Amino acid sequence: MSAEMQVFLLPDLGEGLTEAELVNWLVAVGDEIRVDQPIAEVETAKSMVEVPSPYAGIVAVLHGEAGQTLDVGKPLISVAPVGAVVESGPAEEAAPAEVVSEAPAASAAAEAYRTEEKAGSGNVLIGYGTSGGGEARRTRPRKASGSAVAVASAPDFELSLSRTRVPGKLSAVISPLVRKMARDHGVSLDAVPGSGESGLILRRDVEALIGSVPRETAPAEVPALKALAVAEPAAGIQDSRTGLPVASRTPVRGVRKAVAANMTRSRSEIPEATVWVDVDATALLEMRAELKKRDPHGAPGLLAFIARFVTAGLKKFPELNTRIVTAEDAAGGEMQEIIAFDGINLGFAAQTDRGLVVPSVRNAHLLSARELDAEIRRLTAVARDGKATPTELASGTFTLNNYGVFGVDGSAAIINYPEVAMLGVGRIIDKPWVVDGQLAVRKVTELTLAFDHRVCDGETAAGFLRYVADAIENPGTVLADL
């Protein structure tokens, strides 16, 4: 029986995501890999993950370059059987990796994968295959990622993946990256002579014409990037609306893209209202200072105490720990339902190098202030490392946002959709405060609650906010009652 090259399709990385950005290859063409060995780092809209291979063998093709966005269900890597001779060639001597087309078997597998994903099959990254024994061996020196390759097969070796070009004018450009580059730079593909096989238009052909074609640049357009750059220089391009030169163009992708979509949906769907109150936090700071004297390394942080008060407040005002969903009524029409939860997953906003993320402490209502502190620190660390799981980033029922660390007092926060409320905590500063009829200097902070007016009225929101404020002003009494 002949052996076939095995094509690994990019899997659903969790939570129904449909695309991921290739950050870095962990293997190269010619490497021998084992089952479950990490082969690439990819960034989704939720986290950075390592993708393991379900196949063992020799790396034959890397289907993509660092910085490229790949669709779920499309080829990620091709693996040849051990013993096959795999040789790297110049990347532009053959059609680049992104123009590889699937043979019927691979195409059918990709289509089946997409069908299952739409049906919510649960096909996710975790759990393919069994671990292969032994260490990975490299059979050739490491080459640049994205190289085209030539595979010399043994007599019984068959390829299930071939490089083809469908006849017709449009098929002169197969790569979506090349199409996008031409569109973003105003280059007409009809006028581009293809230097690839059978007249295939390659990236270099479009790049040769960029700069010679005048175009008007809309601020929202983003050119294709070759690597993970924060911004791409845009020398010589003028903005059509302002007439000013464009200094750089930054693609909206990954976490930033997800945040933008989530915030836009929150603003468009949620009738948001906001209430706020100034709070005397002097007693809370004094209590924590005393605990720190007793246990310098184990005293919970202020955010953990506030988180404890929040979970207690949500038990008294559960309307703020809900979610609104659209359901079908008996007549087949649409109706809205308020879903209440038996428990609290407390999210907290964390600023990272990749953007704003909201990991959540699961079952926070069961944890003490000390336990909350430990979990908040752990989740902050994994979020900043880009290692938080989709479950950790997408399971919150209420969000606590400590924007005081940025030196501001308040904020008109946007609710973290699909939650219905968010509590913000401002900086703690010295302010004049009346205590027992006398003016004194106290440690004061501002609490701001943004809430969905569909789930409750102002009385409920104010009651919750006042409860948390009273707990901060009298922490010993409240903690004793918890």
Side-chain angles (χ1 to χ4, degrees):
M1 180 181 294
S2 61
E4 291 187 349
M5 180 182 295
Q6 295 170 301
V7 182
F8 176 36
L9 309 178
L10 180 66
D12 180 358
L13 300 170
E15 300 296 324
L17 299 173
T18 60
E19 65 180 19
E21 182 177 322
L22 178 60
V23 176
N24 182 44
W25 285 110
L26 302 179
V27 296
V29 171
D31 286 1
E32 182 176 336
I33 60 175
R34 62 182 186 276
V35 173
D36 286 343
Q37 176 181 339
I39 56 174
E41 287 183 323
V42 300
E43 180 182 20
T44 71
K46 298 183 182 296
S47 60
M48 186 96 69
V49 296
E50 289 184 346
V51 180
S53 171
Y55 307 126
I58 305 298
V59 177
V61 182
L62 302 178
H63 299 280
E65 301 177 355
Q68 182 179 347
T69 298
L70 307 176
D71 292 331
V72 167
K74 291 296 186 180
L76 178 65
I77 189 173
S78 295
V79 181
V82 175
V85 180
V86 179
E87 295 184 357
S88 297
E92 293 184 344
E93 289 183 3
E98 62 261 26
V99 305
V100 175
S101 63
E102 298 147 301
S107 180
E111 184 58 36
Y113 191 98
R114 286 188 286 271
T115 302
E116 290 174 356
E117 179 189 325
K118 291 177 182 177
S121 67
N123 278 350
V124 295
L125 172 68
I126 299 171
Y128 350 69
T130 57
S131 60
E135 296 297 323
R137 288 189 296 110
R138 300 196 53 221
T139 59
R140 303 190 64 81
R142 189 174 293 274
K143 299 290 183 180
S145 65
S147 299
V149 297
V151 180
S153 60
D156 63 344
F157 182 76
E158 295 179 359
L159 290 178
S160 65
L161 206 66
S162 61
R163 302 181 187 279
T164 62
R165 183 172 74 84
V166 180
K169 180 62 179 176
L170 291 179
S171 63
V173 182
I174 297 178
S175 167
L177 289 179
V178 175
R179 287 186 183 279
K180 189 173 189 305
M181 178 181 290
R183 182 175 66 250
D184 290 339
H185 291 84
V187 174
S188 173
L189 292 173
D190 293 336
V192 179
S195 62
E197 182 180 356
S198 300
L200 188 71
I201 298 176
L202 305 178
R203 176 182 296 179
R204 64 186 180 191
D205 303 322
V206 176
E207 288 177 338
L209 293 180
I210 291 176
S212 64
V213 179
R215 66 185 292 254
E216 291 188 351
T217 305
E221 293 177 351
V222 178
L225 297 183
K226 292 183 179 179
L228 284 173
V230 174
E232 179 177 290
I237 299 177
Q238 190 176 63
D239 178 55
S240 60
R241 188 182 73 84
T242 64
L244 296 174
V246 177
S248 65
R249 301 159 65 90
T250 304
V252 179
R253 57 190 182 191
V255 171
R256 175 57 56 192
K257 180 179 179 180
V259 170
N262 196 52
M263 296 299 99
T264 300
R265 187 169 186 182
S266 179
R267 278 293 195 220
S268 64
E269 294 188 16
I270 297 178
E272 188 177 281
T274 306
V275 291
W276 59 91
V277 65
D278 286 338
V279 182
D280 181 1
T282 305
L284 178 60
L285 268 67
E286 290 175 347
M287 184 187 74
R288 184 176 183 274
E290 184 62 28
L291 291 174
K292 201 168 183 179
K293 286 181 182 179
R294 300 176 189 175
D295 186 1
H297 303 293
L302 291 175
L303 189 63
F305 283 114
I306 297 174
R308 190 71 182 92
F309 302 149
V310 166
T311 58
L314 290 175
K315 290 180 182 178
K316 292 182 176 293
F317 300 92
E319 298 92 334
L320 297 172
N321 189 52
T322 60
R323 181 172 74 237
I324 287 187
V325 299
T326 300
E328 184 175 308
D329 60 24
E334 289 188 350
M335 60 176 289
Q336 288 188 325
E337 293 181 337
I338 298 176
I339 305 298
F341 304 108
D342 184 14
I344 301 166
N345 289 348
L346 184 63
F348 61 94
Q351 192 68 43
T352 73
D353 292 340
R354 299 169 58 247
L356 181 69
V357 296
V358 186
S360 61
V361 179
R362 297 176 65 83
N363 295 309
H365 59 291
L366 302 178
L367 304 182
S368 66
R370 194 178 301 274
E371 291 168 332
L372 284 167
D373 184 72
E375 187 64 359
I376 288 172
R377 293 179 187 275
R378 183 191 72 82
L379 287 169
T380 300
V382 297
R384 287 177 176 165
D385 290 340
K387 302 300 183 182
T389 65
T391 298
E392 289 170 333
L393 293 175
S395 59
T397 60
F398 183 96
T399 295
L400 177 61
N401 187 0
N402 179 23
Y403 42 71
V405 296
F406 302 115
V408 297
D409 299 327
S411 169
I414 300 177
I415 296 172
N416 184 28
Y417 186 92
E419 297 168 15
V420 298
M422 173 186 288
L423 180 68
V425 183
R427 60 177 178 164
I428 301 176
I429 59 174
D430 290 339
K431 280 189 176 183
W433 199 263
V434 177
V435 181
D436 297 329
Q438 300 294 320
L439 192 63
V441 176
R442 306 291 284 184
K443 300 293 185 181
V444 177
T445 186
E446 182 180 286
L447 301 181
T448 305
L449 177 68
F451 66 98
D452 187 334
H453 224 313
R454 295 174 298 178
V455 302
C456 69
D457 296 323
E459 181 180 6
T460 299
F464 168 81
L465 187 61
R466 191 64 255 173
Y467 177 89
V468 176
D470 291 342
I472 292 174
E473 293 182 342
N474 303 281
T477 302
V478 174
L479 288 173
D481 293 337
L482 295 178

